[in-house]
Amino acid sequence: MNIRNSAKAVIIENDRLLLTKNKDRDGFFYLFPGGGQDHGETLTEAVIRECLEETGADVDVRELLHIREYIGKNHEHASFDSAVHQIEYYFRCELHSKAPYFLHPTNPDSHQVGVVWLLLEELADHRIYPKAIIEPVQKFFDGKIEKVYLGDVN
């Protein structure tokens, strides 16, 4: 089984976080825009491409905020993703154009139903994955630098 690299964007504008809105049998859940790195593609190229596909946003990639390792068999979704081993790289990104509230995906994921801006102060009220990155992201944008490697967390 291969380990998959995934590049993710952390985009915050006006105290709101840009996420993809998705639906499963339990209802709505939210993910950071991004996805798998293609062969021959840099991580920054991957996050730019994935943001355009999933949100319609053209982004400028800034610094690496966090690295998350996800080994599916160790977590709550093991029943359907036990074979997954993924390394996710979370980059702070900025919108290239300043029209942040009217975004349209060009190639959304199969479970994706939209794009949303959630208030930072209300993130705990939503089912966001990975859960473990919410607090470090909030601390980073409050000026408190956290560790980069988060480990195998969900």
Side-chain angles (χ1 to χ4, degrees), residues 61-99:
V61 182
R62 303 299 186 210
E63 70 271 24
L64 176 67
L65 297 177
H66 299 289
I67 299 170
R68 173 208 186 208
E69 188 163 13
Y70 179 77
I71 302 170
K73 68 179 183 176
N74 298 337
H75 299 289
E76 67 187 272
H77 302 297
S79 63
F80 59 84
D81 66 0
S82 64
V84 173
H85 188 169
Q86 182 163 285
I87 309 295
E88 296 174 345
Y89 300 86
Y90 287 80
F91 292 90
R92 183 177 71 85
C93 295
E94 295 177 356
L95 295 176
H96 188 65
S97 64
K98 295 298 177 186

Side-chain angles (χ1 to χ4, degrees), residues 28-53:
F28 295 113
F29 65 99
Y30 303 88
L31 301 172
F32 288 81
Q37 179 183 25
D38 291 336
H39 181 76
E41 182 178 54
T42 67
L43 287 168
T44 55
E45 290 168 342
V47 78
I48 290 168
R49 174 182 51 77
E50 288 284 346
C51 280
L52 190 60
E53 290 177 1

Side-chain angles (χ1 to χ4, degrees), residues 97-154:
S97 64
K98 295 298 177 186
Y101 296 97
F102 303 102
L103 299 173
H104 303 285
T106 63
N107 186 22
D109 286 342
S110 60
H111 52 272
Q112 185 178 337
V113 296
V115 179
V116 298
W117 289 93
L118 297 180
L119 283 168
L120 291 174
E121 63 192 37
E122 296 176 358
L123 296 180
D125 299 336
H126 300 280
R127 188 165 58 124
I128 298 173
Y129 295 108
K131 298 173 219 168
I133 201 169
I134 298 303
E135 184 179 346
V137 164
Q138 288 173 318
K139 285 182 178 181
F140 177 84
F141 283 93
D142 286 340
K144 301 170 187 163
I145 303 299
E146 289 287 314
K147 62 184 178 180
V148 171
Y149 179 66
L150 299 177
D152 176 25
V153 297
N154 191 23

